C-alpha cells in the first residue's frame, strides 16, 4: 500500500570541541534517526550552517577560536533564526543568561542525560515547524497590562515598543498570557514548553522567567509575571 513520500528527518549540527562528547551526542541523534553534521569549533560551525542549512544547532559554549556564544551572535546578526541549543559546563545563572542574551533558544548544563537532550531538541523542532497549531490560532492577538502578543507573526510589544524574544521566551510568554490569571505549576510549563518535566531541582524555568521579566520591564508599567511560591507562575495585571 502506497503511503506517500518519506519525510526526511531534520538535520542537526553538533559543534563541540571535546571529541568524546561530540561522538556521544552524534550517536544519540543518529540512533533517533536524525541526520547529523559535526563541527569541532565555532568557525567550522558557521561554515557548516552556510553549507548544510541544518534545522537545529547544538553548540558548546566554550570552544576554541569562536565559542558557542559568538556563533549565536554571528548567526543572529545575519538574520539566521535557526533554533539553537547551547551546551555549557557552567552552572551560574549569569552564564546561562549570557547564552540567551546571545540569541540561544535553550541551554543544557553538562553533564546531561541523552533523554533530556533529545526532549529539548524535539521541543525546539516542534516550535520551529511551520504552520498554525492549536495553541497558536491565526489572527489571534493577546494583550494584558500593556503587553501585546501577535502569535501568528511571533511579535511582542510592551507599552507600544517592540521587544525581541527568543523562540522559547515567546512560547513561554504566550503560554502564560493564554492562561492569564491561572497559576501554572512548573511541571505543566515544562511539559508544554519543553515536552519534558525536568523535575523540582531544575533551574531551567526560573532562568527563562527571570530573563523574560527583564525584557518586559518598563518604568511606566507594572510587573505582570508573578511567582506563586511553591507552585509556579501566573500573569496578571497587578
Amino acid at each position: 500500500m502506497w503511503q506517500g513520500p518519506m519525510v526526511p528527518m531534520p538535520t542537526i549540527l553538533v559543534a563541540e570541541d571535546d571529541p568524546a562528547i561530540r561522538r556521544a551526542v552524534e550517536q544519540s541523534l543518529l540512533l533517533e534517526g536524525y541526520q547529523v553534521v559535526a563541527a569541532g569549533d565555532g568557525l567550522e560551525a558557521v561554515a557548516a550552517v552556510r553549507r548544510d542549512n541544518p534545522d537545529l544547532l547544538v553548540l558548546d559554549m566554550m570552544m576554541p577560536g569562536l565559542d558557542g556564544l559568538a556563533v549565536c551572535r554571528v548567526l543572529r546578526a545575519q538574520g539566521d533564526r535557526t533554533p539553537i541549543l547551547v551546551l555549557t559546563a557552567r552552572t551560574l545563572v549569569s552564564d546561562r543568561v549570557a547564552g540567551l542574551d546571545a540569541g540561544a533558544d535553550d541551554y543544557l548544563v553538562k553533564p546531561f542525560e541523552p533523554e533530556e537532550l533529545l526532549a529539548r531538541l524535539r521541543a525546539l523542532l516542534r516550535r520551529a515547524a511551520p504552520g498554525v497549531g492549536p495553541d497558536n490560532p491565526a489572527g489571534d492577538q493577546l494583550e494584558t497590562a500593556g503587553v501585546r502578543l501577535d502569535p501568528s507573526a511571533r511579535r511582542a510589544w510592551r507599552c507600544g515598543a517592540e521587544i525581541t524574544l527568543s523562540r522559547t521566551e515567546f512560547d513561554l510568554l504566550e503560554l502564560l498570557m493564554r492562561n492569564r490569571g491561572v497559576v501554572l505549576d512548573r511541571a505543566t510549563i515544562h511539559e508544554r514548553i519543553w515536552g519534558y518535566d525536568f523535575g523540582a531541582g531544575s533551574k531551567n524555568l526560573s532562568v527563562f522567567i527571570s530573563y523574560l521579566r527583564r525584557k518586559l520591564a518598563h518604568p511606566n508599567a507594572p510587573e505582570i509575571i508573578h511567582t506563586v511560591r511553591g507552585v509556579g507562575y501566573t500573569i496578571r495585571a497587578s
Side-chain angles (χ1 to χ4, degrees):
M1 181 177 178
W2 185 75
Q3 297 180 337
M6 293 290 291
V7 178
M9 287 292 285
T11 298
I12 298 178
L13 169 66
V14 178
E16 164 66 64
D17 65 313
D18 185 317
I21 295 177
R22 187 172 64 248
R23 284 194 296 268
V25 172
E26 185 176 0
Q27 186 63 25
S28 295
L29 296 177
L30 289 172
L31 288 173
E32 291 295 313
Y34 294 109
Q35 302 179 67
V36 181
V37 176
D41 58 45
L43 291 174
E44 286 185 22
V46 172
V49 169
R50 295 167 178 163
R51 182 185 67 241
D52 300 302
N53 192 30
D55 300 289
L56 189 147
L57 314 180
V58 178
L59 305 176
D60 180 37
M61 182 179 282
M62 300 298 295
M63 291 187 290
L66 199 66
D67 64 20
L69 299 189
V71 174
C72 287
R73 295 188 187 99
V74 167
L75 295 177
R76 296 309 189 223
Q78 295 173 347
D80 191 311
R81 305 310 302 169
T82 305
I84 296 175
L85 172 70
V86 170
L87 303 178
T88 176
R90 297 177 174 179
T91 58
L92 293 178
V93 171
S94 59
D95 292 319
R96 302 174 196 182
V97 167
L100 305 179
D101 209 10
D105 297 289
D106 200 359
Y107 68 87
L108 186 57
V109 177
K110 302 176 184 178
F112 52 83
E113 294 296 330
E115 292 80 6
E116 182 174 356
L117 171 66
L118 293 170
R120 290 177 185 249
L121 297 183
R122 286 193 297 268
L124 286 173
L125 288 168
R126 280 197 302 272
R127 296 202 298 275
V132 176
D135 293 329
N136 187 20
D140 181 16
Q141 295 205 1
L142 306 171
E143 188 164 2
T144 185
V147 177
R148 182 163 63 90
L149 213 62
D150 183 346
S152 60
R154 296 189 68 83
R155 298 175 67 186
W157 295 262
R158 184 81 204 260
C159 298
E162 187 165 5
I163 55 177
T164 301
L165 301 175
S166 72
R167 183 175 284 102
T168 300
E169 291 163 356
F170 189 96
D171 291 340
L172 178 56
L173 180 58
E174 181 183 0
L175 175 63
L176 291 171
M177 290 186 70
R178 288 193 183 280
N179 293 275
R180 181 177 57 182
V182 176
V183 179
L184 297 178
D185 62 77
R186 291 175 176 81
T188 297
I189 297 174
H190 281 147
E191 290 288 351
R192 293 290 298 277
I193 300 299
W194 288 278
Y196 185 88
D197 183 1
F198 302 118
S202 172
K203 292 183 173 60
N204 192 63
L205 177 56
S206 62
V207 170
F208 274 95
I209 289 290
S210 174
Y211 203 57
L212 195 52
R213 281 172 169 154
R214 279 178 48 194
K215 289 194 173 183
L216 292 173
H218 192 282
N220 300 321
E223 174 68 67
I224 66 166
I225 301 179
H226 300 271
T227 302
V228 179
R229 194 173 299 278
V231 183
Y233 301 94
T234 185
I235 274 189
R236 58 176 183 265
S238 61

